[in-house]
Amino acid sequence: MVRLERLHEEHAQALLAFERENRQYFARSIPDRGDAYFGEFTARLRVLLAEQDTGRCHFHVVLDSRGELIGRVNLVDVEDGSAELGYRIGERAAGRGVATGAVGEVCRLAATVYGLSALTAAATLDNVASLTVLERNGFTALARDILLNGRPAVRFQRRLG
């Protein structure tokens, strides 16, 4: 079973370790964050937390049954009852339903806690796992001819309620 926690400064060390541990794994399917991300991690985290305090985004860490950080799931660009969903699950937790569960939970939070009525997301066509997670969570394809990081992708939406 996975648990979502709203991102706090206390997650900094575990989150940085998670990002470092999974850097090469993530780079196989999404652009690498670059060395500056890691070198400026603490300052970037403060900026994200300040942005979260405004309600413009909602960042979460995904924890396993032992309380270890195994992923992230975020709602960004909150505006007019809508937000963009993004998530990443670490390599050692991949393929076990963690992403499906975490996305389902953040959809519930989006509707019941954050008062959102719709979420959007995008996934590249070659990221079959991510496409499956979105479809299993009730997202429907809006556009199939977009580019995401220069690669063919699908844009999805889910109405909440």
Side-chain angles (χ1 to χ4, degrees):
M1 180 172 175
V2 298
R3 182 173 89 245
L4 263 59
E5 285 186 8
R6 194 160 169 90
L7 181 63
H8 295 284
E9 197 167 333
E10 296 81 32
H11 294 120
Q13 285 186 328
L15 184 56
L16 179 57
F18 166 80
E19 292 289 350
R20 283 183 173 148
E21 176 185 328
N22 290 286
R23 184 176 183 181
Q24 290 182 359
Y25 172 68
F26 293 143
R28 289 184 224 151
S29 58
I30 56 176
D32 183 59
R33 294 185 183 269
D35 293 337
Y37 173 84
F38 298 94
E40 301 165 0
F41 183 82
T42 302
R44 287 175 177 268
L45 181 60
R46 283 192 198 110
V47 169
L48 293 177
L49 292 173
E51 185 178 9
Q52 179 170 256
D53 288 344
T54 70
R56 189 121 162 80
C57 55
H58 304 287
F59 301 110
H60 306 85
V61 293
V62 180
L63 306 173
D64 66 11
S65 60
R66 296 182 312 263
E68 292 183 29
L69 198 152
I70 57 171
R72 304 174 70 166
V73 60
N74 304 315
L75 301 172
V76 299
D77 298 333
V78 174
E79 188 175 342
D80 298 329
S82 182
E84 177 83 14
L85 167 72
Y87 53 92
R88 54 177 49 201
I89 303 300
E91 185 172 24
R92 64 184 170 86
R96 299 185 314 173
V98 172
T100 299
V103 168
E105 177 62 9
V106 87
C107 288
R108 186 192 67 75
L109 291 171
T112 62
V113 176
Y114 306 135
L116 301 176
S117 57
L119 298 178
T120 58
T124 57
L125 293 177
D126 61 351
N127 190 342
V128 175
S130 194
L131 295 169
T132 302
V133 165
L134 293 169
E135 290 169 354
R136 286 183 178 163
N137 276 286
F139 284 78
T140 56
L142 292 177
R144 297 185 179 275
D145 57 352
I146 66 167
L147 292 178
L148 182 62
N149 303 315
R151 295 174 20 217
V154 179
R155 173 148 304 282
F156 290 88
Q157 181 179 47
R158 177 176 168 184
R159 295 276 176 207
L160 304 171

